[in-house]
Each structure stands twice: as structure tokens, then as C-alpha cells.
């Protein structure tokens, strides 16, 4: 995972597709260094005196807490900004919000449905904008996922990650992440719930540089054959809760359960970005079983994001 030193100061993180394989490798290396510094009680206040604005238009447990704690550990400060309180929630244009916030803050983190809105915010902001989940991507999650896989497998290149279920933001970010580190990614989804074609094409193009095999398929059992990592996410993401009962029927064959995992590599690990619904996308026996590393994965959000914050705001 060693690469050459990067300079991404001021760069937005909207998707890992915008980062080079070397930049991704360096962010991971820095994330591991920050993790060990924090565990060993070594000072690492790289962002002393700096402020991050965190706009949350959707609920969050992990992202909110890990970003806020991460800024504190880096010696900086994080402000939670709810659209209920911001003027943007009353119709203030994104362009004005971006320009004004850039006069106070050193970075902006945002979670909202519309990826286009985040792209517009980033276009007008003069400080880096970090995507904390849109309908298209969840790059900070994918960096934490890569850390967790590396910790368990001591490599990423050539592994097979199989994502089961909805072709959503998390699936898209795993495609991008795999493409950047040379990890093979198979997304298995029901017909009508596939990953976005354009994002799949961009990931395949990016994978040419690293040799990763990227594919989207429909057969869950064939997909999981030989998997080193099995990953799943909720069947109805934020904004799609109204389709829950319809999705439960369509996604049932994609549940990660004892039968499905029997087709994987016996040493496979199970990951889930959380929040999880036991008995829906994954059984309790799998997510609470010995192959599951979901709490390490959640912890790694903290370390991965600190690496991003230090890199783009430093
Ligand atoms: N995985 C994740 O982003 O969790 P939250 O929605 O709790 O932030
Ligand atoms: N795909 C999920 C991820 C939550 C962290 C959602 O968008 O709701």
C-alpha cells in the first residue's frame, strides 16, 4: 500500500473516482498511522484551530459522531449544521451558502440525497467539500471498508469482494474503491435494482489502471462463489422507505444467510456499513457471527475520515 507522498490540500472528496490509486493508497496509509497514534496516545493535532461545518439533511449515527470526534482529536472543531436551522432549509441558494460558509470554515462535510447539490456546493465553495453520503456515493465509508479488509487480509489487490443487494450509494463506492486498489468487486442485485450504468462504466475504466475486475450480475449464489469479502446494505435506503414491503419480496433471494455464505471462501469476512436490519438483508447468525467485522468497520470510519480531513484541510 506504499505510494509516493500526495498533496490533496483543498481537494473535494465527492467520490473516490476523483482520486488516483496512489492518492487512495496514501490516504489509507495515513489512516493506519492516525489509528496507531490515537491508540498509543501520541499527539496528532494536525488541524489545530481549524473548523469543519457538518451539514446533515439526513439521519446519522456513525458519520456524525466519527467526524465530530475526529475533528476534536485532530485539535480542530466541528459544527453540526441542521437544515432546520440553516437558511438553506428556507430556500437560500446553494451558491450563497457555499460562498458564505467558505468565509468562516476550513472545510464542509455534507450528507444529503442529491449528489448534484453536493457537486454544486463544491463548485462554489473555496474550501474542500467532503461527501458524507449522497444518493450516488459514500466515499468515506468505502475508505473505512478498505482499511477493515486490509486489517483482516493484509492485502487488497486480487481479493474478491461480493456486494449483495441494492445497487445503491454504498455499492457504487465499493465499485470505485475496488477499482482504485485493484480489488475485484462483484455487485449482485435483483433486476431493476442494479448499480448505475454510468458509474459502473467509470469504475471499469478506472480499474484498467489497477487490473481490478469489476462486474454487476443478477445471480446471488454464483456471485458469492469464492468471495473473500461479503458485503451487504439495507434493502431500502434513506428516501426509499416507502418501498420497504415491495423490496422485501424482491430482495429475499439476496439475503446473506447461512446457505449463501456456504458458497464463499471459508475464510471470508462479512461487512455491513450499518445500520443493519437483522432478518432482512442479513441474518443475525451472520452479522453476529465470527466472520463479521462490522464494529471494526464502524470504528475505522473515525480513522479513515481523520486521514481525509488532515489531507484536504491541512
Ligand atoms: N454507515 C453510516 O454512514 O452510518 P450512519 O448513517 O449512522 O452515519
Ligand atoms: N444505503 C444506505 C446507507 C446508510 C449509511 C442509505 O443510503 O440509507
Amino acid at each position: 500500500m506504499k505510494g509516493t507522498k500526495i498533496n490533496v490540500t483543498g481537494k473535494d472528496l465527492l467520490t473516490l473516482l476523483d482520486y488516483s490509486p496512489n492518492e487512495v493508497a496514501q490516504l489509507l496509509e495515513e489512516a493506519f498511522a492516525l489509528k496507531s497514534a490515537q491508540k498509543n496516545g501520541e499527539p496528532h493535532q494536525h488541524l489545530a484551530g481549524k473548523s469543519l461545518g457538518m451539514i446533515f439533511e439526513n439521519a446519522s449515527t456513525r458519520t456524525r459522531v466519527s467526524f465530530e470526534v475526529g475533528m476534536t482529536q485532530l485539535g480542530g472543531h466541528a459544527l453540526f449544521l441542521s437544515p432546520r436551522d440553516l437558511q438553506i432549509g428556507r430556500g437560500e441558494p446553494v451558491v450563497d451558502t457555499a460562498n458564505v460558509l467558505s468565509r468562516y470554515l476550513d472545510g464542509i462535510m455534507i450528507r444529503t440525497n442529491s449528489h448534484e447539490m453536493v457537486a454544486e456546493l463544491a463548485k462554489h465553495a473555496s474550501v474542500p467539500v467532503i461527501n458524507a453520503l449522497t444518493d450516488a456515493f459514500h466515499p468515506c465509508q468505502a475508505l473505512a471498508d478498505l482499511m477493515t479488509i486490509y486489517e483482516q487480509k493484509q492485502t487488497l489487490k486480487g481479493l474478491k469482494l461480493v456486494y449483495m443487494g441494492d445497487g445503491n450509494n454504498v455499492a457504487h463506492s465499493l465499485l470505485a474503491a475496488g477499482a482504485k486498489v485493484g480489488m475485484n468487486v462483484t455487485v449482485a442485485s435483483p433486476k431493476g435494482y442494479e448499480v448505475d450504468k454510468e458509474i459502473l462504466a467509470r469504475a471499469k475504466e478506472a480499474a484498467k489502471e489497477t487490473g481490478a475486475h469489476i462486474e454487476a450480475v443478477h445471480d446471488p449464489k454464483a456471485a458469492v462463489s469464492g468471495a473473500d469479502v461479503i458485503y451487504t446494505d439495507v434493502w431500502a435506503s434513506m428516501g426509499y422507505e416507502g418501498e420497504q414491503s415491495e423490496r422485501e419480496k424482491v430482495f429475499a433471494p439476496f439475503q446473506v444467510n447461512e446457505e449463501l455464505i456456504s458458497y464463499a471462501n471459508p475464510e471470508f469476512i462479512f461487512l455491513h456499513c450499518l445500520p443493519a436490519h437483522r432478518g432482512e438483508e442479513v441474518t443475525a447468525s451472520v452479522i453476529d457471527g465470527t466472520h463479521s467485522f462490522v464494529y471494526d468497520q464502524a470504528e475505522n470510519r473515525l480513522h479513515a475520515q481523520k486521514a481525509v480531513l488532515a489531507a484536504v484541510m491541512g
Side-chain angles (χ1 to χ4, degrees):
M1 245 178 13
K2 291 262 177 219
T4 47
K5 271 275 165 256
I6 53 169
N7 182 356
V8 288
T9 306
K11 183 168 170 148
D12 302 314
L13 175 55
L14 303 195
T15 161
L16 289 177
L17 289 170
D18 297 336
Y19 278 61
S20 70
N22 183 53
E23 287 171 341
V24 174
Q26 286 290 295
L27 284 175
L28 290 172
E29 195 178 324
E30 181 59 14
F32 283 117
L34 287 168
K35 183 170 183 173
S36 100
Q38 192 241 329
K39 300 279 178 206
N40 297 328
E42 293 158 11
H44 51 280
Q45 304 214 318
H46 304 323
L47 295 181
K50 302 229 169 160
S51 298
L52 174 76
M54 308 190 300
I55 305 174
F56 278 97
E57 294 199 326
N58 282 322
S60 168
T61 296
R62 281 143 289 271
T63 307
R64 178 180 174 181
V65 177
S66 56
F67 265 105
E68 191 162 337
V69 169
M71 278 303 290
T72 304
Q73 292 180 359
L74 289 167
H77 176 65
L79 297 86
F80 175 73
L81 304 168
S82 150
R84 261 182 314 189
D85 307 323
L86 290 175
Q87 296 288 9
I88 200 169
R90 296 179 55 243
E92 182 167 16
V94 172
V95 55
D96 292 342
T97 305
N99 277 290
V100 171
L101 289 181
S102 297
R103 301 289 177 108
Y104 308 129
L105 298 166
D106 303 289
I108 301 170
M109 185 236 77
I110 178 161
R111 167 171 288 195
T112 189
N113 289 333
S114 164
H115 194 78
E116 282 71 37
M117 185 273 209
V118 175
E120 194 191 348
L121 186 79
K123 181 176 151 201
H124 296 293
S126 59
V127 297
V129 171
I130 300 169
N131 175 4
L133 188 132
T134 61
D135 52 10
F137 292 107
H138 198 1
C140 299
Q141 179 68 54
L143 282 173
D145 302 340
L146 292 177
M147 277 186 84
T148 314
I149 298 164
Y150 190 84
E151 283 173 337
Q152 295 310 317
K153 301 286 177 192
Q154 287 77 52
T155 187
L156 294 170
K157 213 171 170 58
L159 292 178
K160 178 179 181 183
L161 181 147
V162 179
Y163 173 95
M164 282 290 154
D166 192 18
N168 63 15
N169 39 22
V170 170
H172 292 153
S173 280
L174 288 168
L175 290 174
K180 294 293 173 177
V181 301
M183 180 175 69
N184 305 321
V185 180
T186 299
V187 174
S189 314
K191 291 214 166 84
Y193 297 89
E194 296 92 348
V195 289
D196 179 84
K197 282 197 176 64
E198 197 187 315
I199 293 172
L200 179 66
R202 286 175 68 194
K204 283 186 175 178
E205 186 58 36
K208 287 182 186 161
E209 209 180 325
T210 62
H213 179 71
I214 300 290
E215 62 177 1
V217 300
H218 292 115
D219 181 345
K221 284 180 192 149
V224 90
S225 163
D228 300 297
V229 183
I230 302 179
Y231 198 121
T232 192
D233 185 14
V234 292
W235 289 341
S237 284
M238 288 183 270
Y240 296 87
E241 292 88 348
E243 300 177 12
Q244 177 69 29
S245 56
E246 177 191 332
R247 283 173 175 250
E248 279 176 22
K249 290 185 212 114
V250 181
F251 282 94
F254 293 81
Q255 184 189 62
V256 181
N257 53 30
E258 294 298 332
E259 205 229 320
L260 196 69
I261 64 173
S262 69
Y263 298 94
N265 178 334
E267 304 295 312
F268 85 95
I269 65 167
F270 173 76
L271 298 180
H272 190 309
C273 57
L274 306 179
H277 296 75
R278 287 168 175 77
E280 292 181 26
E281 73 273 9
V282 60
T283 56
S285 66
V286 174
I287 195 169
D288 299 322
T290 52
H291 293 273
S292 175
F293 289 88
V294 295
Y295 300 131
D296 287 345
Q297 186 186 3
E299 178 188 328
N300 284 334
R301 293 290 305 279
L302 172 69
H303 310 299
Q305 286 156 199
K306 281 168 72 179
V308 172
L309 291 166
V312 303
M313 287 168 64

